[in-house]
C-alpha cells in the first residue's frame, strides 16, 4: 500500500454523515467556524475520500446505511493510526459511544448535538495533531471558546486573569463549580479548564446540554436505563453520570432541567449513587459536577423554575465568564489572532487594523461576544484582498449596530423593493415550517440556539425537528 497523504496544516475535516439535513447543519457550523469540510454519505465514500486526501480529523456517524460505524472506525484507525476521530451517535446511545471510545475514538457526541460542544470536540481533536508551540496561533479558526496555549484562553485582560486564577484555585478540589455568563463567552471552555487542571484530567469529560435534550429522555441520558424499562429500551444503557465515572460531568443550561429530574439530581449529589430508569439497585460513582447557565440562577429559583436546595448544593464556587465588552483590550488581541489565522488559511495577507477600526472594536458592545467578533473578521478576510483593515471593509450591520454609528463609505441604501412573487406559494404547511427553520439556521451561520431565539422556540424543539426530518429521508 502506498503511503497515506500528509494532511495539510489547518482544520480539514472529513464529515461522514448520511442524513442530509444533519450533514448540511454540521457542515454549516464547521464552515462558519473556519474549517475546510469534505462530506461523505456512506462508509465506502468516506474511506475513498480518506485515502485520497487525509484530513486533520474525522467526524463519524456510527449509523451508516452501508456499514456499521464501529467497523468503519476500526478501519480508519488501522489505515491511519493516530487519526483523531469524533464519533457521533443518535438516540442518546452513550453505551455505543463508549464502545467507540474504547475502540480508539478521540471523543464522542450524542445527538442532538449542542453547537458549542460540537465545536469544542472538533477543536480538541485538531489540537491532538498540532505540534505548534503553546503561544502560537491556533491550528483551527477559533470559536467563542478560543483556546490558546496552556492557559486555555486568549486574552490578557484583568477579567480573564481573574477567571484563570479562580479556575486554577478550585480545580484541585471536589467542589462543584457553577459557571454563569452570556452565550458565546466560553462557559464550556471554562469547564474543560477546570477538568484539565484537576487530578481527574486523565478521566472522562462528559458534557450534556440540558436545554437540547427532550425532557422525557433527560433522565435516561443522565442516569441511564435498563432493558425493557420503557418502550424502545431494547438494551441496558449507562447514562452520562456513569460514563463520567472518575472524571467530570458538565451540565450546561442546567436551569432548563425539568423539576422531576432536579429532585433526582439532588439525590445523586447527596449520595453519589446512580439508579438507572427501571433499576432497583443503585450504583456508586465518583463524579465531579460542573454546571453552567446563561440565565440568572437565583432569578430562576425565585420564579419557582429551579429548586432552591439544588441551587445551594450546586452554587458552591461561582465562576462568571465576562462578556467581551468587559474584557478591555482582549477584543484587539482576539481579532488580530483571528485575522492572521484566517488570512493564512485563505492565502491572503493583511497588515492589521487601522486605529479607527481598533477604536470601533473597543467601543462596540459585541452582543454576540467572541463568536460575533470572529464572524466579522472572517467576513473581512473573505471579501477583501488584504492590506490594512479600514472601517469601509467592515460588515454594514456592524456599523448599524453602533450607537450613533454611520454607514461605511459607499454603502448602498437598503433594498425595500417588495418581492414580485410569494416564495412560499405551493408549499405545504410542513414544508413552510421546514423552510422557515432551515432559513433561520442558515441566517445565523448554522447556530441552532440563535435561530431558536429568533423563532421564539427552545433549541431542543429545533433539534427534534431536524432529527425527525433526518429520519424521514
Amino acid at each position: 500500500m502506498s503511503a497515506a497523504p500528509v494532511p495539510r496544516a489547518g482544520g480539514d475535516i472529513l464529515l461522514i454523515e448520511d442524513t442530509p439535513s444533519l450533514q448540511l447543519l454540521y457542515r454549516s457550523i464547521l464552515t462558519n467556524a473556519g474549517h475546510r469540510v469534505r462530506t461523505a454519505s456512506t462508509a465506502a465514500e468516506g474511506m475513498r475520500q480518506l485515502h485520497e486526501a487525509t484530513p486533520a480529523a474525522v467526524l463519524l456517524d456510527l449509523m451508516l446505511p452501508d456499514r456499521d460505524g464501529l467497523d468503519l472506525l476500526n478501519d480508519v484507525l488501522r489505515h491511519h493510526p493516530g487519526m483523531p476521530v469524533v464519533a457521533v451517535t443518535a438516540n442518546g446511545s452513550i453505551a455505543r459511544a463508549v464502545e467507540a471510545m474504547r475502540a480508539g475514538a478521540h471523543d464522542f457526541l450524542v445527538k442532538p448535538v449542542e453547537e458549542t460542544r460540537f465545536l469544542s470536540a472538533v477543536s480538541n481533536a485538531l489540537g491532538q495533531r498540532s505540534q505548534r508551540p503553546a503561544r502560537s496561533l491556533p491550528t483551527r479558526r477559533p470559536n467563542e471558546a478560543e483556546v490558546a496555549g496552556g492557559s486555555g484562553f486568549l486574552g490578557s485582560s484583568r477579567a480573564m486573569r481573574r477567571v484563570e486564577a479562580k479556575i486554577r484555585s478550585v480545580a484541585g478540589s471536589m467542589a462543584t463549580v457553577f459557571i454563569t455568563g452570556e452565550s458565546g463567552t466560553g462557559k464550556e471552555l471554562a469547564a474543560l479548564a477546570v477538568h484539565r487542571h484537576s487530578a481527574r484530567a486523565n478521566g472522562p469529560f462528559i458534557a450534556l446540554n440540558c436545554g437540547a435534550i427532550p425532557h422525557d429522555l433527560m433522565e435516561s441520558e443522565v442516569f441511564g436505563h435498563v432493558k425493557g424499562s420503557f418502550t424502545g429500551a431494547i438494551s441496558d444503557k449507562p447514562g452520562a453520570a456513569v460514563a463520567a465515572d472518575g472524571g467530570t460531568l458538565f451540565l450546561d443550561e442546567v436551569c432548563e432541567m425539568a423539576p422531576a429530574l432536579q429532585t433526582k439530581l439532588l439525590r445523586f449529589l447527596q449520595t453519589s449513587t446512580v439508579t438507572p430508569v427501571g433499576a432497583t439497585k443503585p450504583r456508586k460513582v465518583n463524579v465531579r459536577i460542573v454546571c453552567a447557565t446563561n440565565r440568572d440562577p437565583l432569578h430562576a429559583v425565585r420564579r419557582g423554575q429551579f429548586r432552591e436546595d439544588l441551587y445551594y448544593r450546586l452554587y458552591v464556587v461561582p465562576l462568571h465568564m465576562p462578556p467581551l465588552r468587559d474584557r478591555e483590550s482582549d477584543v484587539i488581541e482576539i481579532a488580530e489572532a483571528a485575522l492572521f489565522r484566517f488570512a493564512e488559511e485563505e492565502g491572503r495577507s493583511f497588515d492589521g487594523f487601522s486605529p479607527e477600526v481598533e477604536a470601533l472594536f473597543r467601543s462596540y458592545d459585541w452582543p454576540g461576544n467572541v463568536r460575533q467578533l470572529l464572524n466579522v473578521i472572517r467576513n473581512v478576510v473573505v471579501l477583501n484582498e488584504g492590506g490594512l483593515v479600514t472601517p469601509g471593509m467592515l460588515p454594514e450591520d456592524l456599523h448599524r449596530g453602533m450607537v450613533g454609528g454611520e454607514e461605511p463609505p459607499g454603502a448602498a441604501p437598503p433594498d425595500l423593493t417588495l418581492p414580485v412573487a410569494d416564495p412560499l406559494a405551493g408549499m405545504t404547511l410542513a414544508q413552510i415550517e421546514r423552510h422557515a427553520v432551515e432559513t433561520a439556521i442558515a441566517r445565523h451561520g448554522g447556530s441552532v440556539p440563535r435561530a431558536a431565539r429568533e423563532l421564539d422556540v427552545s433549541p431542543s424543539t429545533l433539534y427534534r425537528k431536524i432529527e425527525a426530518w433526518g429520519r424521514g429521508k
Side-chain angles (χ1 to χ4, degrees):
M1 179 182 297
S2 61
V6 178
R8 292 184 293 167
D12 286 25
I13 307 293
L14 173 59
L15 169 63
I16 308 176
E17 165 63 64
D18 69 312
T19 304
S21 59
L22 291 178
Q23 188 182 98
L24 177 65
L25 174 63
Y26 297 161
R27 180 168 190 157
S28 175
I29 293 173
L30 290 167
T31 302
N32 189 57
H35 301 292
R36 294 178 290 268
V37 184
R38 290 181 293 113
T39 60
S41 300
T42 65
E45 173 66 11
M47 284 301 294
R48 185 185 68 78
Q49 293 210 37
L50 193 66
H51 289 312
E52 286 182 356
T54 303
V58 175
L59 271 167
L60 172 62
D61 184 16
L62 295 181
M63 292 292 291
L64 296 170
D66 59 333
R67 190 176 179 191
D68 181 76
L70 287 174
D71 288 343
L72 177 59
L73 170 64
N74 288 325
D75 266 6
V76 169
L77 295 179
R78 182 167 63 253
H79 291 290
H80 300 272
M83 170 67 67
V85 178
V86 178
V88 185
T89 184
N91 303 322
S93 179
I94 292 180
R96 188 164 173 79
V98 170
E99 287 184 63
M101 293 291 286
R102 289 172 178 164
H106 177 76
D107 200 351
F108 73 88
L109 299 167
V110 178
K111 300 177 185 178
V113 182
E114 198 276 328
E115 183 178 345
T116 302
R117 166 68 177 140
F118 180 82
L119 289 173
S120 176
V122 170
S123 66
N124 289 339
L126 293 175
Q128 177 178 297
R129 296 292 288 265
S130 172
Q131 299 299 319
R132 299 187 178 202
R135 290 304 298 178
S136 67
L137 291 173
T139 58
R140 60 174 178 86
R141 298 196 199 282
N143 56 32
E144 79 279 14
E146 73 276 13
V147 179
S151 67
F153 300 99
L154 187 64
S156 54
S157 64
R158 289 171 294 180
M160 293 310 297
R161 295 287 78 77
R162 287 193 294 267
V163 166
E164 292 179 356
K166 196 166 201 177
I167 287 174
R168 292 181 183 277
S169 176
V170 74
S173 76
M174 274 293 292
T176 300
V177 180
F178 201 122
I179 306 171
T180 57
E182 299 174 9
S183 295
T185 51
K187 294 187 291 296
E188 182 166 348
L189 176 63
L192 276 166
V194 170
H195 173 73
R196 289 170 177 163
H197 287 293
S198 74
R200 297 169 173 268
N202 292 327
F205 177 88
I206 305 298
L208 276 184
N209 187 316
C210 301
I213 299 175
H215 286 174
D216 56 347
L217 296 179
M218 192 66 189
E219 182 177 0
S220 173
E221 289 297 317
V222 177
F223 301 119
H225 65 249
V226 298
K227 180 179 179 181
S229 56
F230 53 85
T231 302
I234 59 176
S235 63
D236 291 353
K237 187 195 81 170
V242 172
D245 194 10
T248 303
L249 176 60
F250 175 54
L251 299 175
D252 199 5
E253 294 189 34
V254 70
C255 288
E256 307 300 322
M257 186 176 288
L261 191 58
Q262 292 180 28
T263 302
K264 296 186 178 182
L265 177 60
L266 180 61
R267 177 170 176 78
F268 167 58
L269 294 171
Q270 292 169 337
T271 65
S272 296
T273 59
V274 172
T275 304
V277 177
T280 57
K281 293 183 178 180
R283 170 179 174 175
K284 195 82 171 177
V285 294
N286 178 13
V287 172
R288 198 233 184 112
I289 299 290
V290 178
C291 56
T293 182
N294 58 14
R295 298 169 56 185
D296 179 349
L298 191 56
H299 182 64
V301 170
R302 290 168 179 159
R303 291 175 59 88
Q305 298 169 337
F306 200 70
R307 289 181 60 116
E308 185 175 16
D309 48 1
L310 179 58
Y311 166 78
Y312 285 115
R313 186 82 188 189
L314 292 173
Y315 205 77
V316 179
V317 179
L319 177 66
H320 182 70
M321 297 301 294
L324 184 57
R325 60 185 173 274
D326 293 341
R327 289 177 57 178
E328 302 167 352
S329 60
D330 283 0
V331 62
I332 305 301
E333 188 172 341
I334 296 169
E336 287 178 341
L339 177 68
F340 293 114
R341 183 61 198 162
F342 291 3
E344 176 190 349
E345 295 187 357
E346 295 292 340
R348 300 185 180 184
S349 178
F350 285 83
D351 302 322
F353 302 102
S354 71
E356 294 82 5
V357 169
E358 290 192 4
L360 187 152
F361 281 0
R362 287 191 174 96
S363 61
Y364 186 61
D365 196 47
W366 299 110
N369 290 298
V370 177
R371 174 167 298 162
Q372 182 186 8
L373 171 62
L374 297 174
N375 286 344
V376 167
I377 304 304
R378 172 64 172 160
N379 181 285
V380 167
V381 172
V382 169
L383 298 181
N384 297 277
E385 292 301 319
L388 189 68
V389 177
T390 59
M393 296 181 180
L394 301 178
E396 294 177 18
D397 57 354
L398 188 71
H399 291 268
R400 288 195 294 268
M402 293 290 294
V403 177
E406 299 177 354
E407 295 290 342
D415 183 6
L416 302 179
T417 306
L418 294 176
V420 175
D422 183 0
L424 304 180
M427 297 173 65
T428 65
L429 182 60
Q431 290 171 330
I432 291 173
E433 179 188 54
R434 181 168 181 173
H435 174 78
V437 170
E438 292 179 342
T439 301
I441 292 173
R443 187 160 50 246
H444 290 279
S447 172
V448 171
R450 290 187 181 180
R453 283 196 294 273
E454 176 186 321
L455 298 172
D456 197 24
V457 297
S458 69
S460 60
T461 297
L462 296 192
Y463 283 118
R464 285 197 297 273
K465 289 184 182 296
I466 293 169
E467 285 292 302
W469 296 329
R471 290 193 299 271
K473 66 181 186 294

